[in-house]
Amino acid sequence: MNIRRWAILALFSLYGCLSVLCPYSAFAESGQADRSLLQKGLTIYEIDQELNRIADQETKLQAQLLSAEQQIREAEHSTSEAKIHAAKVIRSYYMGDRDSLWALLFSIGSFSDAVSVLDYLQMILRNDKQALQRHTDAWQRLASVKKELAEAHASLQRTKERYLQQREQLAALQKEVDDQLADRQEQAALLQQQMLELNKLWEDKGIPLFKTYFQALASAMQQLPELVASGSGQNKNGNLVMNGVNYTFQMTDSELNDFLRKKNERFRNLTFHFYPDQVSASGQEGDIAVMIRGSYEMAVMDDGTGKPFIRFRILEMQFNGFSLPSTTVEEFEKSFDLGIYPQNIASFLQVTGVQLEEGKLSIMLKLAL
């Protein structure tokens, strides 16, 4: 009977240990050494995901290289044929072969002959022009494909270098974890289970929640110019201050929070704060706590227009108090555009600067004359 009682107590003790794996508060109360191991385990997991993304990217780049090489062979063949035709046209003009055709104009005996000769000459000139244009087009296409091939080679090389760097970091972190677990053999099994549970919590709940927030933010930031027209918040006269040809768009963090919560109920669990040179967003939904810290900076659009805009740089992301690795931060930053585009406020405005201070964001603008 005593043995059975001890077995039941042992089961309850085991359940008590495993129950601390999911709730945020339990993770927060973990010892510093345990949290360090969990942090490394989460980082290892995310680096492994990045390695999978890199491997997929490398496969796509290899296919792109093969396609580009095939296009180059086709373009070189087209260029060669077009060059031959163009050379014949140029040679005919240089050697005076076309002079005899123009001499036909002086042998015209009637109006009907003139129409026929002119049609004939126009057809030859049109064909000559098309031959020269084909050569130009083929050469430009070949140059373009070669440029794409060179860029694909460079991108593949950078991808391989990044892969090797991440592999090295992964191996180093894995060794640290193995060494620490070896020093704590009695707790090793529980710690390994906790790392697995934390990674699963991040995969099942953390990633979807972060993606939901980022998608909602990206959508809301596109609608931010509404603040200018509505004059919402504390400033009933609007958030755009005019001074001659210069303007300043000002917004407090309270106004931003009110605006976002009107756009999406989900933001009631997320609060933004403006600080000098930084902005943070933090909140909790269920057993998931999130924190995003970033900053705004001037940038230029790469769509060929060269128009300036305000880019949001993610400096840090935390999940249940654990910092996510730079690879995860970069992936989210690349996948979601949280920039501010002042030209959406008014097409005649151009951004000249951005400033973050305690509780307020200011965007400096001028008339794009």
Side-chain angles (χ1 to χ4, degrees):
M1 192 72 178
N2 288 336
I3 294 176
R4 184 175 181 182
R5 182 187 302 170
W6 279 109
I8 293 173
L9 287 174
L11 284 173
F12 272 107
S13 298
L14 179 60
Y15 175 79
C17 290
L18 294 178
S19 66
V20 306
L21 298 177
C22 289
Y24 166 56
S25 58
F27 279 127
E29 294 168 3
S30 299
Q32 188 61 38
D34 292 356
R35 286 188 62 81
S36 174
L37 266 175
L38 293 175
Q39 175 69 73
K40 289 175 183 176
L42 181 60
T43 301
I44 287 171
Y45 176 82
E46 278 300 281
I47 289 176
D48 192 54
Q49 298 304 305
E50 173 66 4
L51 289 174
N52 290 334
R53 288 193 292 267
I54 292 174
D56 291 340
Q57 184 181 3
E58 184 175 357
T59 300
K60 291 177 182 176
L61 284 171
Q62 291 285 9
Q64 184 181 339
L65 284 172
L66 291 174
S67 175
E69 288 169 353
Q70 176 62 31
Q71 289 181 48
I72 282 181
R73 286 192 290 270
E74 293 173 358
E76 285 177 338
H77 179 70
S78 298
T79 302
S80 178
E81 289 187 342
K83 184 177 180 181
I84 292 171
H85 290 299
K88 289 180 178 178
V89 171
I90 294 172
R91 190 182 303 111
S92 66
Y93 280 101
Y94 182 76
M95 299 299 293
D97 294 343
R98 292 292 187 262
D99 293 345
S100 59
L101 295 174
W102 290 106
L104 288 174
L105 290 172
F106 298 101
S107 62
I108 295 174
S110 66
F111 179 75
S112 60
D113 289 344
V115 172
S116 300
V117 170
L118 286 173
D119 284 344
Y120 181 59
L121 289 174
Q122 286 177 348
M123 181 190 68
I124 292 175
L125 291 172
R126 187 165 53 250
N127 289 338
D128 289 348
K129 184 178 179 180
Q130 289 175 349
L132 293 171
Q133 188 62 49
R134 280 196 298 271
H135 173 59
T136 302
D137 292 344
W139 182 85
Q140 289 176 344
R141 180 170 176 269
L142 178 59
S144 175
V145 174
K146 284 185 175 179
K147 181 182 177 182
E148 290 176 7
L149 182 62
E151 291 174 351
H153 270 297
S155 181
L156 180 60
Q157 185 60 36
R158 289 193 298 268
T159 299
K160 288 181 176 179
E161 290 173 359
R162 193 167 82 250
Y163 183 87
L164 292 175
Q165 290 171 356
Q166 297 299 332
R167 286 293 302 177
E168 289 176 3
Q169 185 180 358
L170 180 65
L173 273 174
Q174 189 64 61
K175 185 177 185 306
E176 290 179 17
V177 169
D178 292 343
D179 291 344
Q180 286 181 270
L181 289 175
D183 292 338
R184 304 172 63 184
Q185 293 182 0
E186 294 181 358
Q187 299 170 296
L190 179 60
L191 288 170
Q192 285 177 322
Q193 180 67 20
Q194 285 182 328
M195 283 190 282
L196 289 173
E197 292 290 339
L198 177 61
N199 294 342
K200 182 172 175 54
L201 186 64
W202 163 245
E203 179 72 26
D204 293 346
K205 293 186 178 181
I207 293 176
L209 183 59
F210 268 96
K211 284 185 175 180
T212 298
Y213 277 135
F214 272 84
Q215 286 171 346
L217 274 172
S219 175
M221 296 312 286
Q222 295 297 316
Q223 304 171 58
L224 193 61
E226 291 179 16
L227 275 175
V228 180
S230 65
S232 61
Q234 299 174 1
N235 186 358
K236 299 302 181 182
N237 296 319
N239 298 67
L240 195 64
V241 179
M242 292 174 281
N243 181 19
V245 297
N246 297 313
Y247 299 76
T248 303
F249 173 71
Q250 296 180 334
M251 174 176 58
T252 66
D253 46 19
S254 297
E255 288 177 312
L256 177 61
N257 287 317
D258 290 343
F259 173 78
L260 292 175
R261 287 162 186 169
K262 287 177 182 177
K263 291 296 177 185
N264 193 320
E265 284 289 325
R266 199 110 201 200
F267 289 120
R268 298 209 171 272
N269 297 320
L270 194 70
T271 301
F272 280 79
H273 294 283
F274 292 146
Y275 301 102
D277 300 323
Q278 289 189 12
V279 56
S280 74
S282 58
Q284 186 165 342
E285 191 165 319
D287 57 353
I288 305 298
V290 303
M291 193 281 287
I292 305 164
R293 185 172 60 86
S295 183
Y296 287 112
E297 65 179 23
M298 291 289 295
V300 176
M301 296 176 67
D302 56 3
D303 59 356
T305 63
K307 290 183 177 180
F309 74 103
I310 298 170
R311 176 188 287 129
F312 182 73
R313 283 291 189 199
I314 304 174
L315 302 176
E316 183 183 11
M317 290 171 57
Q318 286 188 6
F319 157 71
N320 279 5
F322 295 95
S323 293
L324 295 165
S326 59
T327 53
T328 306
V329 171
E330 290 168 5
E331 182 64 21
F332 271 87
E333 189 175 89
K334 183 172 63 177
S335 301
F336 301 95
D337 183 6
L338 304 184
I340 299 175
Y341 298 85
Q343 57 266 32
N344 293 339
I345 297 175
S347 59
F348 54 83
L349 292 178
Q350 179 178 310
V351 62
T352 58
V354 58
Q355 181 180 1
L356 276 166
E357 51 190 311
E358 190 66 38
K360 185 169 69 174
L361 167 69
S362 298
I363 300 173
M364 280 63 79
L365 307 156
K366 71 173 183 179
L367 288 176
L369 302 176

